[in-house]
Amino acid sequence: MLPLLGTLLGNDYLPVTLFLPFYSQIKLPKGDNVFFSRRYARAYGVISWLQERESLEDALHRVLNVFKKSEREDYKMMIQSSMVVYTFFESYLPDYFASGSLLCRLLTHDGYPLPEWVLQNIRQGAMPTMCLNALANHRVFLHTQIEDLSQPSANTCSLPIRVAIYNILLSHDESKALQESPTSPKKSPQHTKEFCVQEYDRMGKDLKKTILRPEYESTRYGCLPNLAGVLALCKEDRKTLLLEVLGVKLEDISQIPPCLQFTIAVLCYWIRHANPKVSHLHLYCLLLCFIRHDILSCQDSLPTELLPEPIVSTSQQGKKGKHIWTPPKSWIPRTVSAFFDKFQKGSKTRSFDLEGVHGFAQFQSCMQYTTYLNKVLCLPFPPPDLAGLFSGIFTHELYKEMTNKSDVLGWVMLGLGKTSQVAEEFYRLQTVVRQVVSEECFAARQQSKTARKKQKRRESSAASSSGYGEGSSSSSSVENEDLKGYEASVDVVASCSLENKFAGLMSLDCDN
């Protein structure tokens, strides 16, 4: 009776107005209560009417009798088609939730079955959506952050990481094509199209579609494994493979605590591939943000000399002398805690710095897709706490404060306490990063307004005394060498304006 009840009350297939002749023949309750709506009255009346029927066939026959004889057959077909929607088909899901086993196969866009460990991650929601889109549709939409629209997209910085992900996800497609046409698989336009990934990202204020052709044998880190061969590698090999994609060696970050090795490796990659380049201020802000998170989430026991005295709660006094330990906010000095607290909230006096935010947006893009690569490689590194590691407000406020300091490193060390353990940790981390990354990868720091005014006065006075005019300065932008290798495998097919959200519909190409 329930499928017939749902149909008579109206659904996505048959509107309730279609059964108005039926409602005129049954008794509906009436009342003066404002909460007793007409919809509720119809449901109550239909339920009461169905309770008096002996069978489903009898109820359906009485419903059809209210319509004209010439229309009954059409109404019968429509009602039966609507009732099929409420039919429960046999499913294997109860067995999956009971025993964890599920007899089904998921296929990729090219009809290739996925390995069991990939299916398990998909069922558990552990596989990133971006990887699922690349597997199923060969189409990925990249998110746009708060960034400078006059600069290249922040996702450009993480392009080599995404290409490595596509290599692992789609390498089984290439092997299948080699089996079908081993003589000349690359000459088949159908296979060439299927193995490409369409990426949608911004170019200025426009939306662009880019076609990426994965390179299954890269000169940087050799031949990447496919999904079936990922588990064949040991954990150390998968960790080395991820670091090779980032261009960092394991011995370079061996002195860093294990909980920060993954993050520092991404940080080194970001500095090398940033476009435009980032300054030392970006590096200092992120390192302080990591140290702040490490301190707040520190679960280690406090040193004996730093343990606080036990405090007896007034509510617990007289209850067998039970003591309640009240640990301090952290084991760092109060001056360091106050230094961090100054940048927890946004300041109304500090203006928004778009250049600094764009650099941090590039780091977030690198961190996001490296985390995806870590999941595709079955977590050789422990997954980082992304929500706690990076704070946009903290880094922006700290970056703005650093732009007004002449000696930034000295100011940071003074705020952390030059002899404190926090200052030693910060100095050690920035030393490791600057040993891995060359100074040429950093952008020259821009001077503050006061310093620029003083320099301008000195230049004008020197020019007037020497008799020469003020020289013109030119700035040159150096292209990233690592991204040049991907220019041959990237094609911008179409673009559309983002001013009109429907403009993308006009640029869709029809393949049929």
Side-chain angles (χ1 to χ4, degrees), residues 31-246:
D32 298 333
N33 192 345
V34 294
F35 298 103
F36 197 80
S37 62
R38 182 181 300 179
R39 189 176 184 179
Y40 180 83
R42 288 174 179 171
Y44 187 88
V46 173
I47 293 174
S48 302
W49 183 82
L50 289 175
Q51 287 178 345
E52 300 174 359
R53 308 283 75 83
E54 297 179 358
S55 63
L56 178 62
E57 290 76 11
D58 178 49
L60 182 59
H61 178 71
R62 291 176 180 271
V63 171
L64 295 175
N65 284 339
V66 302
F67 300 104
K68 297 179 181 180
K69 193 173 183 179
S70 59
E71 300 176 349
R72 290 177 185 176
E73 194 64 28
D74 296 336
Y75 276 99
K76 182 179 181 180
M77 293 178 59
M78 289 189 295
I79 293 175
Q80 289 178 347
S81 300
S82 176
M83 292 170 61
V84 173
V85 181
Y86 300 95
T87 304
F88 293 96
F89 297 96
E90 184 180 359
S91 175
Y92 296 100
L93 287 179
D95 297 335
Y96 170 71
F97 290 110
S99 60
S101 60
L102 184 60
L103 301 176
C104 73
R105 291 196 311 167
L106 294 180
L107 304 179
T108 63
H109 179 70
D110 305 312
Y112 188 89
L114 295 175
E116 183 61 31
W117 72 269
V118 179
L119 296 179
Q120 194 70 18
N121 286 346
I122 293 176
R123 293 166 191 155
Q124 296 175 356
M127 184 64 69
T129 308
M130 172 255 194
C131 298
L132 295 180
N133 292 333
L135 277 171
N137 304 321
H138 289 198
R139 185 184 301 115
V140 175
F141 288 85
L142 304 180
H143 298 284
T144 300
Q145 307 178 62
I146 301 177
E147 51 190 82
D148 189 357
L149 297 182
S150 62
Q151 298 290 347
S153 172
N155 296 315
T156 308
C157 183
S158 58
L159 176 61
I161 302 175
R162 296 196 304 274
V163 171
I165 295 176
Y166 300 148
N167 290 349
I168 298 175
L169 295 177
L170 304 180
S171 56
H172 59 267
D173 296 340
E174 179 71 11
S175 62
K176 182 180 178 182
L178 290 174
Q179 294 175 4
E180 293 178 357
S181 55
T183 56
S184 58
K186 295 184 179 180
K187 294 182 180 180
S188 174
Q190 183 179 0
H191 289 154
T192 303
K193 181 179 178 181
E194 288 179 349
F195 298 150
C196 297
V197 177
Q198 298 179 7
E199 277 193 349
Y200 291 83
D201 195 10
R202 73 163 188 89
M203 177 183 288
K205 293 184 179 181
D206 295 336
L207 181 67
K208 70 171 182 178
K209 180 177 75 172
T210 306
I211 292 182
L212 292 178
R213 297 177 178 84
E215 301 174 358
Y216 300 98
E217 293 187 2
S218 176
T219 56
R220 292 183 58 196
Y221 33 79
C223 184
L224 290 171
N226 54 23
L227 289 175
V230 168
L231 289 182
L233 301 175
C234 64
K235 186 176 181 180
E236 291 300 323
D237 291 342
R238 287 182 273 124
K239 181 182 294 186
T240 304
L241 179 61
L242 188 145
L243 292 178
E244 287 179 352
V245 174
L246 298 178

Side-chain angles (χ1 to χ4, degrees), residues 79 81 111 407 413 447:
I79 293 175
S81 300
D407 184 11
M413 298 298 291
Q447 296 177 335

Side-chain angles (χ1 to χ4, degrees), residues 272 478-485:
R272 287 172 174 170
V478 181
E479 243 182 330
N480 199 311
E481 294 294 335
D482 292 327
L483 294 181
K484 287 184 178 180

